[in-house]
């Protein structure tokens, strides 16, 4: 009896082990569900592209990582995206670097008036900058990729023919680039981008400092007459895509590697999309009667000279915090020269 009981037990254990080891590895793994927050509405090309990023992540990880898009800031207010990603309220967040004031000091180099030519060039620089410097200021999150809108120019309500004609005008600007306006002799008025259209239409301000995409994206082309294409002031509205660090660390090394490859591809995809959006915005503005004034090389060079104190102030600020601001600035300037 003892022998038969032992044999029966042995058979049961063998059968159990057979079925356990026969279960596919994927079935034993838990699916990680990520919530992605964007500020754009669902139909905006950037939300659509981020949705595709999520699908590509799911495909590359064979369904082990899935992504659900929450558009139009429904998951987090814009100014709180970074903090909420750190806390895990947001799993993957995307927003402006400038919406985390003082938190990313070394990376402020990206939003300086460096003479950006277009969004693809700007996005490539931002992505390569992060790879080069790996700023510790991002250590509480996992950076997926950086990208940004460029060029940033001054738009005016009245017709002007040169940069000098904006002296004394009230120009709407974000806090991080109001010195661009000051150094041109105009008066900066800081306000949220959502108030720009109404303020321009009512004459509260005489112009605004914006990337070209805003001409259509925020309908600014309906309330301005001139765009001054002066690359001496051209800046980038730099943006991040970040992931909660605990969520990232819970992903297998193989899947992390697959996602990193996708991130490299999407930094460039967003750069190309910025260019496409700018082209459409220019067509939209021209259809509304907006004039694009291309300044001379001499005027552009003179303007760049007026921007130098802004670059110097950045380096001084970074050094005061023990950061290699001079190296970061030189890297960006050299990159733009080599990649026009």
């Amino acid at each position: 009896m003892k022998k038969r009981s032992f044999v029966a037990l042995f058979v049961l254990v063998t059968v159990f082990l057979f079925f356990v080891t026969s279960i596919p590895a994927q079935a034993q793994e838990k699916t990680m569900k990520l919530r992605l927050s964007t500020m754009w509405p669902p139909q905006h090309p950037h939300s659509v592209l981020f949705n595709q990023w999520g699908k590509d992540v799911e495909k590359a990880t064979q369904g082990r990582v899935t992504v659900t898009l929450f558009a139009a800031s429904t998951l987090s207010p814009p100014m709180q995206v970074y903090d909420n990603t750190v806390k895990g309220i947001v799993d993957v967040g995307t927003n402006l670097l400038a919406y985390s004031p003082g938190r990313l000091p070394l990376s402020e180099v990206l939003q300086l008036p460096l003479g950006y030519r277009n969004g693809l060039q700007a996005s490539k620089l931002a992505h390569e900058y992060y790879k080069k410097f790996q700023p510790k200021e991002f250590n509480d999150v996992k950076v997926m990729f950086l990208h940004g809108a460029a060029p940033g120019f001054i738009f005016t309500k009245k017709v002007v023919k040169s940069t000098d004609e904006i002296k004394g005008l009230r120009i709407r600007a974000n806090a991080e680039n109001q010195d661009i306006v000051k150094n041109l002799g105009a008066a900066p008025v800081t306000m949220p981008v959502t108030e720009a259209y109404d303020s321009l239409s009512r004459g509260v301000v005489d112009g605004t400092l914006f990337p070209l995409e805003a001409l259509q994206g925020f309908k600014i082309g309906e309330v301005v007459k001139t765009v001054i294409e002066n690359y001496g002031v051209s800046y980038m509205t730099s943006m991040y895509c970040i992931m909660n660090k605990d969520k990232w660390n819970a992903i297998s090394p193989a899947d992390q590697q697959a996602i990193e490859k996708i991130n490299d591809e999407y930094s460039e995809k967003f750069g190309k999309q910025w260019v496409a959006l700018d082209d459409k915005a220019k067509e939209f503005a021209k259809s509304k009667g907006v004039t694009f004034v291309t300044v001379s090389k001499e005027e552009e060079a003179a303007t760049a000279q007026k921007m130098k104190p802004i670059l110097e102030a950045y380096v001084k600020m970074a050094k005061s915090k023990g950061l290699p601001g001079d190296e970061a600035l030189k890297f960006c300037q050299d990159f733009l020269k080599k990649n026009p």
Side-chain angles (χ1 to χ4, degrees):
M1 287 292 293
K2 287 184 179 180
K3 184 177 181 181
R4 278 187 296 204
S5 297
F6 176 81
V7 171
L9 180 61
F10 177 81
V11 171
L12 285 172
V13 170
T14 302
V15 171
F16 174 78
L17 289 174
F18 172 80
F19 279 108
V20 168
T21 56
S22 297
I23 297 173
Q26 278 185 300
Q28 297 180 44
E29 294 176 357
K30 292 183 179 179
T31 299
M32 178 173 289
K33 299 179 180 180
L34 300 176
R35 296 159 299 169
L36 168 59
S37 173
T38 75
M39 62 182 149
W40 301 283
Q43 69 275 16
H44 190 283
H46 282 345
S47 286
V48 173
L49 193 54
F50 267 114
N51 195 46
Q52 186 58 50
W53 175 85
K55 291 179 180 178
D56 286 350
V57 166
E58 182 173 352
K59 182 179 179 181
T61 61
Q62 298 180 356
R64 290 182 290 275
V65 180
T66 65
V67 181
T68 301
L69 181 76
F70 290 81
S73 299
T74 54
L75 191 59
S76 171
M79 295 293 288
Q80 297 173 29
V81 168
Y82 193 99
D83 284 338
N84 282 341
T85 304
V86 173
K87 296 174 183 176
I89 297 171
V90 172
D91 299 319
V92 182
T94 178
N95 221 303
L96 278 65
L97 270 68
Y99 283 179
S100 300
R103 187 165 193 161
L104 309 168
L106 186 63
S107 301
E108 288 177 13
V109 68
L110 297 173
Q111 58 203 31
L112 297 176
L114 300 178
Y116 293 99
R117 308 304 293 190
N118 57 63
L120 178 57
Q121 180 201 46
S123 295
K124 284 183 174 180
L125 167 59
H127 198 52
E128 291 303 316
Y129 154 82
Y130 180 77
K131 284 186 174 182
K132 166 71 175 177
F133 290 93
Q134 297 283 313
K136 293 180 180 179
E137 58 204 39
F138 280 109
N139 278 359
D140 48 5
V141 295
K142 165 61 183 176
V143 174
M144 298 285 98
F145 57 89
L146 303 181
H147 67 103
F153 293 139
I154 288 178
F155 314 156
T156 60
K157 274 181 64 69
K158 69 176 185 178
V159 176
V160 299
K161 295 181 179 179
S162 72
T163 310
D164 285 342
E165 292 184 35
I166 71 162
K167 288 180 180 177
L169 298 184
R170 295 160 299 169
I171 305 295
R172 188 221 69 89
N174 293 337
E176 72 273 11
N177 52 34
Q178 62 179 326
D179 284 343
I180 294 175
V181 176
K182 285 181 182 178
N183 288 23
L184 293 176
V189 180
T190 58
M191 65 174 66
V193 296
T194 51
E195 296 178 15
Y197 184 99
D198 188 53
S199 295
L200 284 162
S201 63
R202 292 191 295 111
V204 175
V205 292
D206 304 307
T208 185
L209 183 62
F210 256 140
L212 287 174
E213 188 272 339
L215 289 165
Q216 185 172 28
F218 289 98
K219 307 299 182 188
I220 302 301
E222 296 178 348
V223 287
V224 296
K225 294 293 184 184
T226 308
V227 173
I228 308 172
E229 293 186 300
N230 185 336
Y231 289 93
V233 305
S234 180
Y235 68 97
M236 168 173 47
T237 300
S238 48
M239 302 184 182
Y240 58 69
C241 177
I242 56 177
M243 184 185 290
N244 174 268
K245 205 162 188 178
D246 289 338
K247 286 294 178 70
W248 175 256
N249 290 335
I251 297 173
S252 72
D255 285 345
Q256 286 181 347
Q257 188 175 3
I259 294 171
E260 292 278 29
K261 184 178 179 182
I262 292 171
N263 291 340
D264 286 339
E265 295 169 359
Y266 269 80
S267 177
E268 184 162 340
K269 285 184 178 181
F270 272 94
K272 289 179 178 178
Q273 185 153 276
W274 280 119
V275 174
L277 291 175
D278 284 351
D279 290 343
K280 290 181 180 179
K282 289 183 77 170
E283 291 178 11
F284 171 81
K286 287 178 180 179
S287 74
K288 299 296 181 181
V290 176
T291 299
F292 287 76
V293 175
T294 303
V295 306
S296 67
K297 292 295 181 183
E298 292 75 19
E299 184 175 334
E300 189 176 301
T303 301
Q305 281 295 120
K306 294 177 181 178
M307 298 298 107
K308 279 192 173 181
I310 299 174
L311 311 188
E312 293 166 356
Y314 161 78
V315 172
K316 184 177 180 181
M317 176 278 295
K319 283 188 173 181
S320 72
K321 298 178 181 293
L323 300 171
D326 49 352
E327 294 177 33
L329 177 59
K330 185 178 186 304
F331 174 84
C332 292
Q333 291 173 321
D334 289 346
F335 183 95
L336 294 178
K337 287 178 183 176
K338 294 175 183 177
N339 302 274

